[in-house]
Amino acid sequence: MHLNKIGLLAALTFLSLPAIADDNCKLQRYAELPVTMSGARPLVTGMINGKEAHFLADSGAFFSLLTNEGVKKFGLKPDYSTRLNVRGFGGDENAFSTTAHDFSLAGFLGGRVFHDIQFVVLGNKFAGMIDGIIGQNVLSGADTEYDLANGVIRLFSSKDCHGRNLAYWHGTANVAVVDIEATTKISHHIIGQAVLNNKKIRVVFDTGVTHSFLTLRAAKRAGIKPEMEGVSASGIIGGVGHDTHELWLARFDTLDIGGELIKNARLRMGEIEDTLNADMFLGADFFLSHRLYVSQNHRKIFFTYNGGAVFDLGNSNKDVQVADISKDTQSPSSQSTTSTDNLPSVTAGDMAESTKPKDAPLDADEFRLRGAALAGRLDFFGAIENFNQAIALDPSNAENFYQRGLAYSHSHQSMLAMNDFNSALKLHANHMPSLIERCRLRLENKDEGGARADFDLAISLVPGDASLQLRIAEIFHNFGYYDEAIKRFDEWISKNPKDERLWIALNTRCVSRAMLGKELDTALADCNLAMKRGPGNSMQLDTRAMVYLKLGNIDKSISDYKASLKLQPKGAYTLYGLGLAELRKGLKTEGEKNIETAKQIDPKVADIYSRANLTPQLMP
């Protein structure tokens, strides 16, 4: 299959910017893509064959892609004659192509529509809130500015700028510079070097990764191993491919990127290998805390620091997945980070010390995009201030109320959040994101009937949307409505037996039955099939271990918990469950020690097991 770059530079109206430190150096902007941060995912909108499309802007993706659901949504024809083998963090995955007759992205000057544009089609792993990914065949057409903190990606052509500082916005601010590798026809990735604990590492700049992470190989070279004191469990990572990988969270003394020195950086690390032979992936958290200009022609990145934490991890107990998938196991903190950890000092070149100049939003859209970016950095109060301005300027836009409602919800102001979701739905009765979030709040407020009615309305609006139906089942599960969750998982699993997310649905249905303590043999069958169809990670082992514990098969429960600990040695959930199983077997000393260790790692871990009616007091 021959995949070409989209001819984005052709026949466009250019907007010239002032010369940069030289009368001959010119930048010409040909696109300004509005970016809405959904958590730490940068989303852009476009149109395919007359229908609105939502994409993840992924600087780490070699080519733009659509999900299988996206292909159906836009009425496209799959081309199975051009099969591809795509490799990601999870190994290899088969893909094919499709062609969109009409394609456009919001923010291209002149509103140009492109014709007969190819996309790679890669399952439904990224389906749900997005229809696909915009990759480097679009984003690296020329030069790219990533200004995620202001909610925008700008595309430029540059002329006669060799040797010049292309961070045109910098004023007197420090500018760090990273040399990047030349791209090839096969690889358009943005790859440079950094220094971690005085060891050189190879770094990929990747907006498709929600939180930056290191390979375990690079972490060990820097002197950090998972079994060391102070290292904690941090979920799993996955993406393209079948496999997932365990993650740990650790502190590193220094990280030097282009002359910017970050001390005491808290970074995730995992035993991950990829075709790029990379040591680190700098994700959307890094892009939110910096403004970057990437010049492929000059093979350099110029960037300035926005302020605040560089790697704002928020809650260290999050599960992280590559591309668009990111699940929070707990609500994020309502406070923005004020610690001096992760704060960089920039010493690059001969730039004078200063802070980044503030870019004041001019209209409601800019305030909303700025607010979403602040929310992505967990500064929900700052986000609300910007959403207030957006609503004052444009009170008829449902998205303004929805975004403020999200910020209120994350800052634990449920009544204000509900008011905003209701306001959004009054303005736009079928505003799906507001409908889903209102359902969440209704379940939180024990209004199961109201939530069920809203969910059924959502499904009626898009009756064939398997991702929505799976998401609803998961929401019922997460709020403890296990009977309703089982019912909805039953329906989804029967309709989607070949979906690559089947193991997730089976595993979660297994948990629902285990939490209720009913149909445990059926739950065990779900767990076993999930293990067969899935990657066999610590999460799956923990689930099956709990089912064995409830069934009274203590030896197998202990075996699974210990197998999980080999993958994730400091998992609080695993240690607590192992302790309960050991108490049940009569191993009092070992059981009490593991339970105490688990509680020290996560003081709330006992609450999870008590909801399943599993406590030390109930272990004879």
Side-chain angles (χ1 to χ4, degrees):
M1 176 181 177
H2 187 62
L3 299 172
N4 293 312
K5 281 194 177 185
I6 299 175
L8 299 177
L9 296 178
L12 290 176
T13 302
F14 289 100
L15 177 64
S16 296
L17 293 174
I20 302 207
D22 188 302
D23 289 341
N24 295 323
C25 177
K26 303 288 184 183
L27 297 183
Q28 293 180 307
R29 186 178 73 225
Y30 62 91
E32 185 159 322
L33 311 179
V35 176
T36 298
M37 295 304 301
S38 176
R41 298 173 300 171
L43 305 185
V44 296
T45 60
M47 300 286 287
I48 292 180
N49 293 353
K51 292 183 178 180
E52 186 172 82
H54 301 273
F55 299 98
L56 175 73
D58 186 355
S59 65
F62 81 103
F63 204 81
S64 299
L65 66 84
L66 290 172
T67 64
N68 278 325
E69 289 184 1
V71 171
K72 293 178 182 178
K73 173 181 175 180
F74 303 118
L76 305 180
K77 293 182 179 179
D79 183 359
Y80 297 112
S81 67
T82 54
R83 287 193 174 273
L84 295 168
N85 184 262
V86 179
R87 173 164 290 184
F89 297 124
D92 294 341
E93 190 165 335
N94 292 324
F96 53 93
S97 74
T98 191
T99 301
H101 179 66
D102 297 325
F103 167 70
S104 63
L105 281 177
F108 271 93
L109 301 184
R112 184 175 177 190
V113 176
F114 301 93
H115 301 292
D116 299 325
I117 301 302
Q118 285 181 306
F119 288 87
V120 172
V121 182
L122 198 64
N124 284 326
K125 190 164 290 184
F126 309 126
M129 296 297 290
I130 65 169
D131 300 302
I133 288 173
I134 296 299
Q136 282 296 309
N137 63 312
V138 174
L139 297 176
S140 67
D143 291 357
T144 311
E145 178 192 345
Y146 294 91
D147 186 11
L148 299 191
N150 287 310
V152 65
I153 294 173
R154 300 179 180 93
L155 305 181
F156 292 91
S157 67
S158 58
K159 183 179 180 182
D160 298 327
C161 294
H162 184 74
R164 300 301 176 189
N165 173 14
L166 297 181
Y168 63 88
W169 63 86
H170 75 90
T172 58
N174 294 304
V175 178
V177 183
V178 174
D179 292 327
I180 57 176
E181 299 176 8
T183 58
T184 67
K185 291 182 179 180
I186 298 175
S187 172
H188 303 303
H189 295 90
I190 307 169
I191 302 174
Q193 284 195 345
V195 180
L196 178 72
N197 287 3
N198 297 317
K199 302 292 184 181
K200 286 186 179 181
I201 59 172
R202 195 161 179 260
V203 175
V204 178
F205 291 77
D206 190 347
T207 59
V209 174
T210 56
H211 295 78
S212 302
F213 69 90
L214 295 158
T215 65
L216 196 57
R217 176 189 66 245
K220 288 179 178 178
R221 285 209 318 269
I224 304 296
K225 298 179 181 180
E227 62 270 18
M228 292 173 65
E229 187 70 26
V231 178
S232 59
S234 189
I236 59 174
I237 191 169
V240 173
H242 176 77
D243 295 334
T244 60
H245 302 278
E246 308 292 327
L247 288 179
W248 298 270
L249 181 64
R251 285 193 182 277
F252 292 82
D253 291 338
T254 58
L255 175 63
D256 186 328
I257 309 171
E260 179 181 272
L261 185 65
I262 305 165
K263 298 180 180 180
N264 299 316
R266 295 172 69 232
L267 294 166
R268 288 177 170 90
M269 58 188 189
E271 196 162 6
I272 299 157
E273 301 291 338
D274 70 287
T275 56
L276 301 176
N277 194 31
D279 296 309
M280 184 177 190
F281 288 78
L282 283 173
D285 51 356
F286 181 85
F287 281 77
L288 279 168
S289 58
H290 295 84
R291 186 168 176 177
L292 300 87
Y293 189 102
V294 180
S295 176
Q296 296 283 10
N297 289 334
H298 300 102
R299 291 171 56 180
K300 290 184 183 297
I301 300 175
F302 306 86
F303 63 89
T304 57
Y305 167 54
N306 290 337
V310 176
F311 304 111
D312 192 352
L313 298 174
N315 192 317
S316 62
N317 291 322
K318 290 181 179 179
D319 288 343
V320 180
Q321 295 179 312
V322 172
D324 77 311
I325 306 172
S326 178
K327 283 188 178 180
D328 291 354
T329 57
Q330 299 182 27
S331 297
S333 167
S334 61
Q335 300 294 328
S336 59
T337 299
T338 57
S339 168
T340 57
D341 291 342
N342 289 330
L343 301 181
S345 58
V346 183
T347 56
D350 58 356
M351 300 296 171
E353 289 190 7
S354 179
T355 57
K356 173 187 171 294
K358 301 284 185 182
D359 296 317
L362 300 176
D363 58 26
D365 289 344
E366 291 181 0
F367 275 111
R368 184 181 66 254
L369 295 173
R370 171 79 67 85
L374 287 168
R377 300 190 72 185
L378 308 186
D379 180 3
F380 298 114
F381 297 115
I384 289 167
E385 290 179 3
N386 278 269
F387 295 138
N388 288 342
Q389 294 285 347
I391 289 169
L393 291 169
D394 186 3
S396 63
N397 190 325
E399 188 70 14
N400 293 336
F401 286 97
Y402 164 69
Q403 291 288 349
R404 190 175 70 176
L406 275 182
Y408 277 138
S409 180
H410 286 311
S411 54
H412 309 294
Q413 301 180 73
S414 297
M415 289 185 63
L416 293 173
M418 180 66 82
N419 290 339
D420 273 352
F421 296 140
N422 286 334
S423 295
L425 289 165
K426 285 179 182 177
L427 292 167
H428 184 347
N430 296 337
H431 192 259
M432 185 68 72
S434 294
L435 194 59
I436 297 299
E437 290 304 322
R438 189 171 72 177
C439 291
R440 288 180 186 271
L441 283 182
R442 284 183 165 169
L443 286 180
E444 187 177 298
N445 295 327
K446 310 301 181 185
D447 180 11
E448 184 180 359
R452 188 182 291 110
D454 271 355
F455 279 136
D456 290 343
L457 172 60
I459 291 172
S460 73
L461 296 173
V462 281
D465 192 329
S467 291
L468 175 63
Q469 294 166 14
L470 178 60
R471 188 178 176 200
I472 290 171
E474 291 173 335
I475 291 171
F476 275 109
H477 168 85
N478 291 339
F479 280 95
Y481 292 89
Y482 300 119
D483 283 314
E484 183 68 21
I486 291 168
K487 171 185 170 184
R488 292 178 183 262
F489 280 125
D490 286 347
E491 183 177 359
W492 190 90
I493 290 169
S494 67
K495 291 181 178 179
N496 301 277
K498 296 183 179 180
D499 194 291
E500 62 262 51
R501 297 166 294 184
L502 178 65
W503 73 267
I504 298 174
L506 288 166
N507 187 81
T508 313
R509 187 172 68 176
C510 177
V511 176
S512 289
R513 286 195 166 102
M515 295 299 287
L516 289 173
K518 72 176 190 180
E519 299 175 324
L520 292 175
D521 288 335
T522 304
L524 181 59
D526 273 351
C527 276
N528 287 333
L529 185 55
M531 293 285 289
K532 183 178 179 180
R533 295 289 297 269
N537 54 41
S538 61
M539 177 180 69
Q540 292 177 282
L541 287 165
D542 286 341
T543 300
R544 191 171 67 179
M546 185 173 73
V547 175
Y548 278 135
L549 180 57
K550 284 217 157 189
L551 283 167
N553 196 332
I554 306 305
D555 288 338
K556 286 190 175 181
S557 178
I558 290 174
S559 177
D560 270 357
Y561 278 128
K562 286 185 174 180
S564 179
L565 285 173
K566 287 182 180 179
L567 298 174
Q568 193 62 270
K570 297 185 180 181
Y573 181 91
T574 313
L575 284 164
Y576 196 92
L578 176 60
L580 291 177
E582 287 170 335
L583 289 180
R584 183 75 177 271
K585 191 172 174 64
L587 303 172
K588 186 174 186 293
T589 302
E590 296 90 333
E592 289 178 348
K593 180 181 177 181
N594 280 322
I595 287 173
E596 184 58 32
T597 301
K599 289 163 67 175
Q600 290 174 1
I601 296 172
D602 181 1
K604 296 181 180 180
V605 66
D607 297 340
I608 300 172
Y609 277 95
S610 65
R611 290 199 296 270
N613 204 30
L614 290 170
T615 67
Q617 293 76 21
L618 295 175
M619 297 295 112

